[in-house]
Every structure is written in structure tokens, then in C-alpha cells.
């Protein structure tokens, strides 16, 4: 296959770039969206985002799980962290995400005395709970299908070990419902998708077939090296030039058409779909994973009676539009002036996978 041969001979990448430029003369201006935070960073870091401008715009969509966590949820978590007996644990990025009030975050709460611990995996949080039986340890489970199996596995382990002071606040989200909401939104303006290789490793590449089948949009499941991304862009451009939208799996060295059945079964065993708010997209039918009733003893939302309303963005923050791909980071009036990685206003600047953080670090 074309992309495999180019990947094995990096010096031939110049040929890929030339082909993409030739195809852009046939297609006219196009907008290609990546929907994975790791792609966002890789495209920015490698300089690929600026390589084909102005004919090909590479824009970032709702691919950063921390960024799409709504501010109302963060506000509720901040309140939970006020309880002296509760230890909040999560991945580092989420600890810096603001709620609806600028400057508030779990890290700030920690500085003020809250029990907040940065962990590398949910199993670390479970171990913390075992070591501290007098404390309630809550793990904030955030991510897409990539992290959902590990979180599910941890919950089953907590059940098996009977760790009663451990619970999970499930903020996990499946990707397909959000993509459907995005594509069906009035301001949607994208010609094709670079689909997330990590998610597809779990779901299978076939899980993205709805993009060409239901919406006539070409889609390529891509790996993360510069050569992967360039070859994926070429594959998208070929489909756009031929007007034959389809699904191609460029990341064949990892992704299978049907994905990882054991991981999918783990998700099905523990979670069920629920309507859920995504920052930038609003309420998405089926856009969240909920812990099934049979595991409700380990569901932090039920244990601590957590509820949240649709969140407000911090004043001036344009993250919702950035997440939808309708605004580039540099078009936000706060970008680099008021909002910086040292003093972020919105989550897109906080997260190591956020579009604004990528643009700040590598582009503008
Ligand atoms: Fe949000 Fe800051 Fe990005 Fe503006 S620059 S969209 S405030 S993260």
C-alpha cells in the first residue's frame, strides 16, 4: 500500500507533500479536522499545520478529553474537594482545568489545603484508597474509549477487593455521538476527518465508517508520526479529489477493523451510554458513559449526590468555538495576551493536548 511504503522510506515524504499540493489544486480550499489531542500536538509540533496553507487548513476538533469536560462539572468537583475527608485523584491535566470562575482549579484548591492527588492511573487511586481506609478516595475518570477500559477494569478490581472507600466520578465519553452532533451542527464546515488512532485501537477503524456512509465525509484513521499524518492527509486529499468519500485505516500496524473485543467488552460490562454535556457541543445524546446501576456503590456521583447544571465559560473565553473548530486559537482575543499556559483562562490552554496550548507552544 502507498502509505506503508512511504512510511518505510521517510526520504520519500517529499513526494507525499508534492502530491498533496497537486491534489489541492484540483480540490480547491479544504478544511481537514483532527479529533484527537495527540494528533493536535503532533501536527503542531511537526510544523505540518502550516505546510499546506492556505489551500489546506488543518483544524482541531473536540479531541481533548480534558477540554470537553464542562465548567459546571468542574465547579461541582471543586465543591466536593471542600470535604476534609475526601481525597480527589485524577490525571494531572484535569487538576489545572478552571470551572466557571477564572483562576479556580483543583490545583489551587490543593494549595489552599484540599486533598488532591495527581495519579498516573486509576489503579494508583485504588491503591491510595487501600492505604487510607479512613478517607474517601474519588478518582475522576476522564477520557474517551482509550481510557474507558482501564477505568472499568479498576472499578471491577475495587469490587473484587471490596474497597468500600473508593469511588469513580465517571466523566468518560464515547466519540461517535459527539462527532454526529458536531457534523449536524449549523456551523459545521469540514471536508474530511483525521480519526484518532488510539480510540480506533479499542473501537476498531470500522467505528468511523458512519462518517462517509451517513455524511459523505472521507475519514482516515491515522497514526501519530509525521509520516503517518502526511500520508493520512494524502489519503484524504485523494478521496476528496476523486469525490469518493470512504474510510481508510492508515494505522494498520496497530488498528484492526473490529478493534479490541476484550476492551470493548470491559466498557460494556461496566458502563452504559447516557446523554451528557460536552464543552463546546452542549448536551450530546449518548455522549457520556455512566456507571451501571449494579456498580452504583462505586459511583461517586451517587455516593456524594453530585449534580451539575450546564456550565458557563469564564468571561471572554472562546474555548467552545475552538473545540468545535469554528475559531482558531489565534482568533480568540485573549490568546497570548490574557490567556497563557502560565495563567490559562480556558481548558484549551491548560491541557497538554489542547489546541490553544499547541498553538502557543509551536505555531504563533
Ligand atoms: Fe480559551 Fe484561552 Fe484558548 Fe481563548 S486562548 S479559547 S480563553 S484557552
Amino acid at each position: 500500500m502507498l502509505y506503508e511504503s512511504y512510511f518505510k522510506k521517510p526520504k520519500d515524504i517529499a513526494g507525499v507533500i508534492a502530491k498533496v499540493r497537486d491534489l489541492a489544486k484540483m480540490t480547491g480550499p479544504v478544511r481537514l479536522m483532527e479529533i484527537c489531542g495527540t494528533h493536535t500536538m503532533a501536527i503542531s509540533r511537526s510544523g505540518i499545520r502550516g505546510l499546506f496553507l492556505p489551500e489546506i487548513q488543518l483544524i482541531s476538533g473536540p479531541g481533548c478529553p480534558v477540554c470537553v469536560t464542562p465548567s459546571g462539572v468542574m465547579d461541582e468537583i471543586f465543591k466536593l474537594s471542600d470535604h476534609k475527608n475526601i481525597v480527589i485523584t485524577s490525571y494531572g491535566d484535569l487538576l489545572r482545568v478552571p470551572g466557571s470562575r477564572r483562576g479556580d482549579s483543583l490545583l489551587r484548591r490543593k494549595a489552599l489545603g484540599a486533598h488532591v492527588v495527581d495519579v498516573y492511573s486509576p489503579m494508583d487511586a485504588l491503591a491510595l484508597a487501600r492505604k487510607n481506609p479512613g478517607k474517601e478516595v474519588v478518582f475522576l475518570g476522564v477520557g474517551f474509549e482509550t481510557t474507558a477500559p482501564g477505568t472499568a477494569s479498576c472499578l471491577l478490581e475495587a469490587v473484587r477487593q471490596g474497597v468500600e472507600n473508593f469511588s469513580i466520578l465517571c466523566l468518560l465519553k464515547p466519540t461517535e455521538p459527539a462527532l454526529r452532533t458536531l457534523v449536524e451542527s449549523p456551523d459545521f464546515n469540514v471536508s474530511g476527518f483525521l480519526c484518532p488512532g488510539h480510540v480506533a485501537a479499542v473501537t476498531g477503524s470500522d467505528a468511523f465508517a458512519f462518517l462517509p456512509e451517513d455524511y459523505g465525509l472521507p475519514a482516515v484513521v491515522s497514526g501519530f508520526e509525521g509520516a503517518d499524518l502526511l500520508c493520512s492527509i494524502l489519503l484524504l486529499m485523494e478521496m476528496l479529489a476523486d469525490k469518493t468519500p470512504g474510510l481508510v485505516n492508515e494505522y494498520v500496524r496497530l488498528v484492526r477493523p473490529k478493534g479490541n473485543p476484550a476492551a470493548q467488552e470491559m466498557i460494556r460490562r461496566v458502563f452504559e451510554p447516557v446523554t451528557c454535556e460536552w464543552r463546546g457541543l452542549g448536551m450530546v445524546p449518548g455522549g457520556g458513559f455512566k456507571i451501571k446501576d449494579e456498580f452504583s456503590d462505586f459511583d461517586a456521583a451517587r455516593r456524594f449526590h453530585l449534580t451539575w447544571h450546564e456550565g458557563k465559560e469564564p468571561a471572554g473565553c472562546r474555548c467552545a468555538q475552538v473545540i468545535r473548530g469554528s475559531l482558531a486559537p489565534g482568533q480568540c482575543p485573549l490568546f497570548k495576551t490574557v490567556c497563557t499556559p502560565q495563567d490559562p483562562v480556558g481548558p484549551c490552554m491548560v491541557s497538554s493536548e489542547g489546541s490553544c496550548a499547541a498553538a502557543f507552544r509551536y505555531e504563533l
Side-chain angles (χ1 to χ4, degrees):
M1 298 284 284
L2 174 69
Y3 47 88
E4 284 179 312
S5 67
Y6 278 121
F7 190 75
K8 285 172 186 163
K9 293 191 228 164
K11 67 184 168 57
D12 290 346
I13 281 298
V16 175
I17 294 170
K19 276 192 173 211
V20 170
R21 289 196 169 124
D22 284 346
L23 289 166
K25 289 179 197 146
M26 294 167 64
T27 60
V30 298
R31 284 162 56 85
L32 307 180
M33 177 178 270
E34 88 270 356
I35 40 175
C36 168
T38 313
H39 279 161
T40 298
M41 276 293 161
I43 290 171
S44 294
R45 190 171 47 235
S46 61
I48 293 174
R49 203 177 299 283
L51 201 54
F52 303 113
L53 287 173
E55 289 82 6
I56 303 176
Q57 277 187 55
L58 296 172
I59 52 177
S60 307
C64 159
V66 164
C67 303
V68 299
T69 302
S71 57
V73 173
M74 296 311 301
D75 289 341
E76 189 71 3
I77 293 169
F78 298 158
K79 275 196 253 164
L80 188 65
S81 74
D82 287 340
H83 292 262
K84 295 292 168 229
N85 201 39
I86 291 178
V87 182
I88 307 276
T89 64
S90 194
Y91 307 120
D93 271 1
L94 197 65
L95 305 189
R96 300 182 62 223
V97 170
S100 53
R101 207 160 56 86
R102 189 172 169 211
D104 209 354
S105 69
L106 283 169
L107 266 191
R108 177 177 168 274
R109 299 282 173 138
K110 180 176 182 169
L112 296 174
H115 297 298
V116 176
V117 179
D118 179 357
V119 292
Y120 287 108
S121 87
M123 295 305 280
D124 293 344
L126 182 59
L128 194 68
R130 277 201 311 268
K131 273 192 215 146
N132 296 275
K135 298 274 186 198
E136 283 283 345
V137 175
V138 177
F139 175 70
L140 308 179
V142 69
F144 302 129
E145 287 92 338
T146 328
T147 49
T151 309
S153 166
C154 176
L155 187 146
L156 293 176
E157 189 59 20
V159 173
R160 193 185 70 77
Q161 295 180 14
V163 186
E164 291 178 0
N165 62 324
F166 176 75
S167 58
I168 293 174
L169 182 60
C170 187
L171 307 173
L172 296 161
K173 296 172 171 56
T175 43
E176 179 181 334
L179 282 182
R180 286 187 182 275
T181 298
L182 179 73
V183 172
E184 291 170 14
S185 63
D187 59 351
F188 178 74
N189 176 19
V190 166
S191 321
F193 281 99
L194 291 166
C195 298
H198 293 150
V199 168
V202 173
T203 62
S205 52
D206 286 357
F208 293 94
F210 71 94
L211 289 167
E213 287 171 6
D214 295 353
Y215 302 105
L217 290 163
V220 176
V221 174
S222 180
F224 298 88
E225 302 297 331
D228 285 315
L229 290 159
L230 286 168
C231 290
S232 298
I233 291 166
L234 174 58
L235 290 161
L236 280 175
M237 292 302 290
E238 285 175 341
M239 288 191 273
L240 286 167
D242 292 346
K243 297 189 173 41
T244 52
L247 170 71
V248 181
N249 177 15
E250 182 276 337
Y251 203 19
V252 286
R253 60 193 189 278
L254 190 77
V255 173
R256 304 284 169 265
K258 301 293 177 202
N260 181 333
Q264 292 163 19
E265 179 51 31
M266 189 65 80
I267 293 174
R268 276 194 296 271
R269 173 81 187 91
V270 173
F271 305 120
E272 59 192 4
V274 66
T275 295
C276 166
E277 185 189 354
W278 285 54
R279 197 188 291 241
L281 298 179
M283 298 307 282
V284 176
F289 284 125
K290 168 180 173 293
I291 295 172
K292 285 183 171 174
D293 286 349
E294 65 179 291
F295 304 114
S296 61
D297 288 351
F298 294 85
D299 183 345
R302 296 191 217 193
R303 186 177 294 191
F304 302 107
H305 311 290
L306 305 181
T307 52
W308 45 81
H309 303 291
E310 223 163 308
K312 287 192 301 197
E313 298 303 326
C317 176
R318 309 287 288 273
C319 282
Q321 287 161 279
V322 169
I323 287 166
R324 285 202 307 274
S326 57
L327 192 85
Q331 292 173 305
C332 172
L334 306 188
F335 182 77
K336 266 195 172 176
T337 52
V338 176
C339 182
T340 64
Q342 290 71 37
D343 189 11
V345 176
C348 298
M349 189 62 90
V350 169
S351 169
S352 60
E353 296 191 336
S355 324
C356 297
F360 185 96
R361 201 165 301 160
Y362 299 116
E363 290 171 23
L364 301 165

